[in-house]
Amino acid sequence: MNDYMKMSYCTEIVEDTDEDGFVVSYPDLPRCVTCDEIIENAVNAKKVWIETALEEEIPLCEPDSLDDYSRQLKLRIL
């Protein structure tokens, strides 16, 4: 059990506008789905952090964009 819990399964987070929340699922674990307020807490934490940064005039950067990535994987095998 512990070994499986330590593994980094892909996590899919989708906003549920009907329920005003989020749905979290693991594509590799069929039918493993939850609606959890932890994600909402993360969104609230981001909001408070940004508000505080603006009040204290801390410079904010924009998030990384996937457009900046070449989508190439270079691998060197010796």
Side-chain angles (χ1 to χ4, degrees):
M1 175 70 174
N2 289 333
D3 290 339
Y4 284 106
M5 290 302 294
K6 290 178 187 175
M7 292 182 185
S8 295
Y9 286 98
C10 178
T11 306
E12 195 172 85
I13 302 169
V14 178
E15 186 174 9
D16 183 354
T17 55
D18 294 336
E19 296 293 326
D20 245 359
F22 296 86
V23 176
V24 180
S25 65
Y26 299 92
D28 293 324
L29 305 174
R31 296 183 299 279
C32 181
V33 178
T34 186
C35 300
D36 203 330
E37 64 186 46
I38 291 173
I39 301 303
E40 292 175 40
N41 290 340
V43 172
N44 289 334
K46 179 173 73 171
K47 180 181 178 215
V48 170
W49 189 95
I50 291 171
E51 287 174 345
T52 303
L54 292 172
E55 288 172 7
E56 296 183 11
E57 298 181 4
I58 297 171
L60 294 167
C61 62
E62 293 193 17
D64 288 338
S65 169
L66 291 178
D67 295 335
D68 297 336
Y69 296 99
S70 67
R71 291 171 177 70
Q72 293 180 358
L73 173 65
K74 296 181 181 181
L75 181 63
R76 181 182 221 175
I77 299 175
L78 300 175

